[in-house]
Amino acid sequence: MSLTIASAVESELLIKKSRFLCRVQPVSDREAAKVIVAGLRETHPGAAHVCWALLAGGHSAAVDDGEPSGTAGRPMLDVLRHHDLEGVVATVVRYYGGVQLGAGGLVRAYTNCVAQALKLATKVPVSKVITLQCTVPYALEGVLRREIDAAQGDLQSVQHDAQVTFVFTLDEFLADALVARVDEAGQGQIAWRASTLVN
């Protein structure tokens, strides 16, 4: 099971006069990550580099932003992967202190900065939402409504025709149990349509 973090966490390292400001935060996708990075560039116009790494929605990114290739973004991404994270972006703003750190020193600095921030993170399971659709006889409408409420599902639509058609969303991990309970109550009278997974 993939994990994400509940809220943003930060760390700061000072290495040979260079200042590294790290922030790891939840993010929905690559576009949202780019907005965050653009905001950091505006907030820190004097920074030498704004490096970042992303794991979100099956997409990843490792951006060195002018640091020697493979010394910033990739090590940051490796830390995120090591923690089995999904839906997160790690950013490190570097203010250059005038002393060269070398490739190994840069890798250690960026790795440690992200790792230190993640020590403060509260990790939570990534919740995937599933959309279900079914048709039930009128006599079972109340049963299904109670089951959706009990599973903290979100009712999208209800259509009353010859039977009642429901479209609702709920946590993927609760779906199988709900379907089983409703099928048992319906004794073969419930027609389910294919479900769709939504991030």
Side-chain angles (χ1 to χ4, degrees):
M1 175 188 299
S2 292
L3 299 170
T4 191
I5 59 176
S7 59
V9 289
E10 297 178 350
S11 70
E12 180 176 342
L13 293 180
L14 191 60
I15 302 170
K16 293 184 179 177
K17 299 182 181 178
S18 277
R19 192 168 162 224
F20 296 84
L21 306 172
C22 177
R23 183 176 173 95
V24 184
Q25 65 195 88
V27 71
S28 56
D29 55 28
R30 188 182 195 99
E31 291 310 308
K34 286 181 176 179
V35 169
I36 290 166
V37 172
L40 286 171
R41 289 188 200 287
E42 286 182 19
T43 307
H44 299 276
H49 308 281
V50 179
C51 304
W52 58 286
L54 168 74
L55 282 174
H59 296 280
S60 64
V63 179
D64 294 318
D65 190 40
E67 292 283 31
S69 181
T71 61
R74 176 64 57 188
M76 293 164 64
L77 185 64
D78 289 344
V79 175
L80 298 180
R81 285 190 170 133
H82 177 75
H83 285 265
D84 294 321
L85 293 174
E86 166 64 28
V88 294
V89 63
T91 55
V92 176
V93 175
R94 180 187 180 194
Y95 284 92
Y96 182 58
V99 178
Q100 297 286 340
L101 300 183
L106 287 172
V107 168
R108 282 190 299 279
Y110 283 100
T111 298
N112 289 343
C113 207
V114 175
Q116 291 300 319
L118 287 175
K119 284 182 179 179
L120 306 171
T122 301
K123 295 176 186 169
V124 293
V126 173
S127 178
K128 296 204 184 252
V129 174
I130 195 166
T131 300
L132 297 172
Q133 181 175 342
C134 67
T135 304
V136 303
Y138 278 84
L140 293 172
E141 180 178 2
V143 171
L144 185 54
R145 284 182 182 272
R146 284 189 294 278
E147 287 291 346
I148 293 169
D149 285 344
Q152 296 182 333
D154 187 16
L155 196 55
Q156 303 293 307
S157 70
V158 180
Q159 186 176 346
H160 294 88
D161 291 315
Q163 292 194 318
V164 186
T165 301
F166 284 84
V167 177
F168 60 98
T169 59
L170 78 158
D171 189 301
E172 174 190 21
F173 299 109
L174 302 176
D176 287 345
L178 179 141
V179 169
R181 287 191 305 272
V182 172
D183 279 346
E184 185 177 325
Q187 300 176 341
Q189 299 179 71
I190 298 179
W192 293 95
R193 294 235 178 112
S195 58
T196 307
L197 195 61
V198 181
N199 282 334

